[in-house]
Amino acid sequence: MFSRSPHEQRSHLELVTIYEICRILGTSLDIRRSFRDALNVLTAHLDLPKAMIVTAGEDGASLQVHSHVGLTREQALRGRWAVGEGVVGRVYATGLPVVVPDIGQAAEFVDRTGAFGPLADDERMLAFLVVPLKHDGAVTGVLAAQREVAGGARLTEDQRLLTMVAALLAQAMMLHETVREEHRRLQQEAMRLQKALQRPPQRPRFALDNVVGDSAPMQQVFLEVQQAAPSRATVLLRGESGTGKEAIARAIHFLSPRKDAPFIKVNCAALTESLLESELFGHEKGAFTGAAGERKGRFELAHGGTLFLDEIGDVSPAFQAKLLRVLQEREFERVGGSRPVKVDVRLICATNRDLEKMVQRGEYRADLYYRINVVSIFLPPLRERRADIPALVEHFLERFNKDNRRKLRITPEAMEVLASCYWPGNVRELENCVERTATMVQGEVIRDLAFPCRQNRCLTQTLHFIDKADAVAPATPRGEGVGAIPIRPVPGRPGGWTPAPHVPEAPAVPEALEAGDGSDVITIGPTVHVRPPAERGAAGAGSNGSNGSNGSNGSNGSNGSNGSNGSNGSAPPQGERERLIWAMEQCGWVQAKAARLLRVTPRQLGYALLKHRIEVRKF
């Protein structure tokens, strides 16, 4: 019978061990079961009484027993090391194998499990072999085994075999992690698809840098910007003042292929015709007094980029003709020059005017209108996209905190006040209100009472409800001045305002009323308020004073001044201040009653009292 030498027997045993471990690792995806079976093969073939695999814990700062053979459950649960602690921790930290010939004489040996240390009455010499599990240079765990040093055991050969086994275990561990991550990703994708199938389809959401807006009107604007930006077409931005036309124009530029070229902006309403021509086209040396040298215009500076012309509806008719030639030919001549200059400029214009009506009245050239109105993007006013107000307020407040090193926050009640305002000045007015309130508020919280509108000190309301003192607007029914923005209070929301239903324009004040004694027309500030015709007829029918409950209302009746509640029959004075004081005295200085007497809203009466500096008496 053929006999092998001890060396050949050892090599054969190692080969069989490696083969069995490879077969075990390839038969199951249960990593703990595979590792436990591999350790059983290893301990049986090499006569190792105990072995374990140690990996990093969930916190990543400690090590714990992953799989084991020859240890009890309690011993395995106690097996925890810090990285760098003992032989196990040092091998995990350095990635270098360590062989301890005699654990009884090794001071660095730390047995947290209580299973690898020598017994008190045991005189056997026990060795401890630890090798790292490494994959692509990274240590993923530690393989440790105990060996009895007797019978000519060769620790070097054991270390070499354990190193090969550790490489197989590390590869299996990484394959398991990859499969587990892929399985988790597929589960999450399946859950996401199921949820997507259950809910109704949604429109894609668009976003622009430095532009806040998640409402449906702004999403439509963002979609149009995304479509128009890559082209070279001229864009006309339409919308009220303060809606963010310049921000949209900048977004169009940076979404276009010209984003690396200059973005030049000009406010056409801020310059006279001669200055605007020099500013846009440039001038030659000596073209006019003070032209000491040649100067390039904004068209030349924007060559290859984008030129933003704001307030394009305010340019004069003479300059409209000059601008039309540049847009048609893409060339111009400097002021005082004769050499044509060709430019490649993408034009973006903006206006808050009604260009169509201006063209009909002959105030704006139709050919220029068709040149600039290639792609029109209408920016909605803030009152039509109230869903964006909270996000805008948070944006402005965050910027204020950053600039002023504060930590202000706003309460839900205060946010509700802002969300219910009319905002005739749009985003610019909202920014002004937030910055003003944030500057003047005391403490770190902005509450609803901190806003000026809650104290009848809102300057915007004064501007939009009381016209110039020397301008009397035509009368409108129900006490609302022409040109003023009609609003009404929201029920259950003090201080909140929302647009009122549309009120059609009323005819001019009849001459009979203008020539009357003032009893049918009450003026608070400059706004004229006219009684409805039915009330005037009822008041005029009060010949016996039965309908003249408020003396002044029965001034057209023969005996209306003698009504039982006719405010003592006194006629209102003519002056605005005197009329306010008269009404307050007649009503016992109760503002609500005085407002009903003058047929105005209590808020308008409060503004009028504040304007004329009339101190309200308190009893």
Side-chain angles (χ1 to χ4, degrees):
M1 182 177 179
F2 180 75
S3 61
R4 295 188 180 93
S5 63
H7 178 71
E8 292 176 343
Q9 293 180 1
R10 175 71 182 188
S11 300
H12 178 72
L13 180 63
E14 292 179 354
L15 183 61
V16 172
T17 303
I18 294 297
Y19 168 75
E20 289 293 333
I21 292 177
C22 289
R23 185 181 60 81
I24 291 173
L25 296 178
T27 56
S28 175
L29 291 177
D30 188 349
I31 192 69
R32 292 185 179 274
R33 177 182 176 183
S34 300
F35 278 12
R36 186 169 57 252
D37 293 344
L39 291 179
N40 283 324
V41 172
L42 188 64
T43 56
H45 287 191
L46 299 183
D47 194 18
L48 301 176
K50 300 173 184 177
M52 64 179 178
I53 298 174
V54 179
T55 58
E58 295 180 357
D59 55 358
S62 62
L63 306 177
Q64 62 184 13
V65 178
H66 180 273
S67 304
H68 58 88
V69 171
L71 280 70
T72 64
R73 180 178 179 83
E74 292 74 14
Q75 291 173 343
L77 292 176
R78 291 197 302 265
R80 289 183 176 275
W81 297 263
V83 177
E85 180 186 13
V87 179
V88 174
R90 189 174 68 180
V91 172
Y92 184 87
T94 61
L96 300 176
V98 173
V99 176
V100 181
D102 185 3
I103 58 178
Q105 304 297 325
E108 69 274 10
F109 176 73
V110 177
D111 183 18
R112 294 295 185 189
T113 63
F116 291 92
L119 299 177
D121 56 349
D122 193 355
E123 298 181 354
R124 294 181 302 170
M125 183 176 178
L126 300 176
F128 193 61
L129 298 91
V130 186
V131 294
L133 275 65
K134 301 174 67 174
H135 183 79
D136 291 338
V139 179
T140 59
V142 168
L143 172 62
Q146 190 182 63
R147 152 75 71 185
E148 181 181 353
V149 184
R154 303 182 64 177
L155 300 180
T156 304
E157 295 180 355
D158 292 341
Q159 176 189 344
R160 179 170 57 84
L161 179 60
L162 290 177
T163 302
M164 290 188 290
V165 173
L168 296 176
L169 296 177
Q171 185 175 5
M173 183 179 293
M174 294 305 298
L175 179 62
H176 172 75
E177 290 294 330
T178 303
V179 172
R180 188 173 64 175
E181 289 295 330
E182 184 67 17
H183 181 65
R184 184 186 297 112
R185 188 189 66 81
L186 291 176
Q187 284 184 330
Q188 294 177 352
E189 184 69 15
M191 293 177 60
R192 187 188 65 82
L193 292 176
Q194 289 179 357
K195 292 181 180 179
L197 292 175
Q198 293 175 358
R199 61 175 179 261
Q202 297 180 355
R203 296 180 60 184
R205 183 181 181 276
F206 298 93
L208 299 179
D209 294 338
N210 297 326
V211 182
V212 178
D214 200 23
S215 60
M218 288 305 295
Q219 286 297 301
Q220 180 64 30
V221 172
F222 293 169
L223 174 61
E224 294 175 357
V225 168
Q226 298 275 0
Q227 292 179 336
S231 68
R232 300 183 58 180
T234 302
V235 179
L236 178 62
L237 303 178
R238 312 286 296 270
E240 298 179 6
S241 179
T243 52
K245 293 185 285 295
E246 182 176 341
I248 296 296
R250 191 179 297 273
I252 294 175
H253 169 72
F254 285 106
L255 288 175
S256 69
R258 301 169 178 258
K259 60 182 179 180
D260 296 327
F263 175 76
I264 306 299
K265 53 185 179 180
V266 179
N267 190 340
C268 299
L271 301 173
T272 62
E273 180 181 346
S274 58
L275 289 178
L276 185 60
E277 182 179 3
S278 175
E279 192 71 19
L280 290 179
F281 306 143
H283 60 258
E284 299 287 349
K285 180 178 179 180
F288 50 84
T289 304
E294 178 186 287
R295 182 177 182 274
K296 292 184 177 181
R298 299 298 178 93
F299 270 99
E300 288 185 78
L301 295 177
H303 179 68
T306 304
L307 179 63
F308 174 54
L309 298 181
D310 197 7
E311 305 297 346
I312 192 66
D314 294 342
V315 296
S316 63
F319 189 77
Q320 292 175 22
K322 300 177 182 178
L323 187 60
L324 177 64
R325 179 175 178 271
V326 180
L327 299 182
Q328 287 178 340
E329 306 295 337
R330 296 294 178 179
E331 67 177 18
F332 60 91
E333 297 175 359
R334 295 176 183 167
V335 178
S338 58
R339 179 175 56 89
V341 179
K342 279 192 168 291
V343 290
D344 177 19
V345 173
R346 201 282 180 73
L347 195 65
I348 301 178
C349 304
T351 182
N352 59 359
R353 292 179 174 270
D354 191 342
L355 295 183
E356 289 76 14
K357 290 186 177 180
M358 295 179 65
V359 172
Q360 292 177 358
R361 294 193 300 262
E363 300 174 0
Y364 207 83
R365 293 179 63 102
D367 46 5
L368 179 60
Y369 168 79
Y370 292 121
R371 284 292 179 183
I372 63 176
N373 190 26
V374 180
V375 177
S376 291
I377 298 179
F378 292 85
L379 274 65
L382 188 58
R383 59 184 173 273
E384 295 181 5
R385 56 183 189 108
R386 295 181 182 275
D388 295 332
I389 291 180
L392 287 168
V393 173
E394 293 294 340
H395 173 72
F396 295 144
L397 198 58
E398 180 181 356
R399 187 173 62 186
F400 178 86
N401 289 336
K402 182 179 179 181
D403 295 341
N404 297 274
R405 298 180 180 179
R406 298 188 64 179
K407 298 181 180 179
L408 291 176
R409 58 185 180 87
I410 187 168
T411 63
E413 294 77 13
M415 186 69 77
E416 189 174 349
V417 171
L418 294 177
S420 61
C421 289
Y422 189 72
W423 301 119
N426 297 296
V427 180
R428 185 180 294 118
E429 181 185 357
L430 175 62
E431 180 181 7
N432 175 273
C433 179
V434 171
E435 185 174 359
R436 178 174 63 250
T437 306
T439 302
M440 302 305 297
V441 73
Q442 297 181 357
E444 301 295 331
V445 180
I446 299 178
R447 306 186 185 277
D448 54 344
L449 296 178
F451 296 108
C453 63
R454 303 306 301 273
Q455 304 169 9
N456 287 338
R457 297 173 56 189
C458 182
L459 300 179
T460 302
Q461 297 291 347
T462 305
L463 290 174
H464 288 275
F465 286 92
I466 300 181
D467 300 334
K468 299 296 182 181
D470 55 349
V472 178
T476 60
R478 304 183 188 273
E480 293 184 1
V482 173
I485 299 176
I487 65 173
R488 56 180 170 82
V490 178
R493 188 177 293 173
W497 298 91
T498 188
H502 175 68
V503 179
E505 293 186 2
V509 180
E511 296 181 359
L513 292 180
E514 292 181 352
D517 59 354
S519 60
D520 288 306
V521 181
I522 301 175
T523 304
I524 297 298
T527 307
V528 181
H529 305 278
V530 185
R531 292 183 190 175
E535 295 186 11
R536 289 202 301 270
S543 58
N544 295 324
S546 59
N547 294 329
S549 59
N550 291 327
S552 60
N553 292 342
S555 59
N556 292 333
S558 58
N559 297 321
S561 60
N562 297 324
S564 58
N565 297 323
S567 302
N568 299 328
S570 60
Q574 296 299 323
E576 296 175 5
R577 180 181 176 85
E578 291 75 16
R579 186 181 294 267
L580 287 170
I581 297 176
W582 169 83
M584 294 294 290
E585 289 177 347
Q586 297 297 323
C587 299
W589 291 90
V590 179
Q591 296 188 41
K593 294 183 179 180
R596 288 196 295 270
L597 176 60
L598 297 176
R599 295 192 176 277
V600 296
T601 65
R603 195 174 187 85
Q604 290 173 328
L605 180 65
Y607 290 143
L609 294 174
L610 185 63
K611 172 186 175 182
H612 292 283
R613 299 181 180 180
I614 299 175
E615 183 180 0
V616 179
R617 301 178 186 177
K618 298 181 180 181
F619 299 92

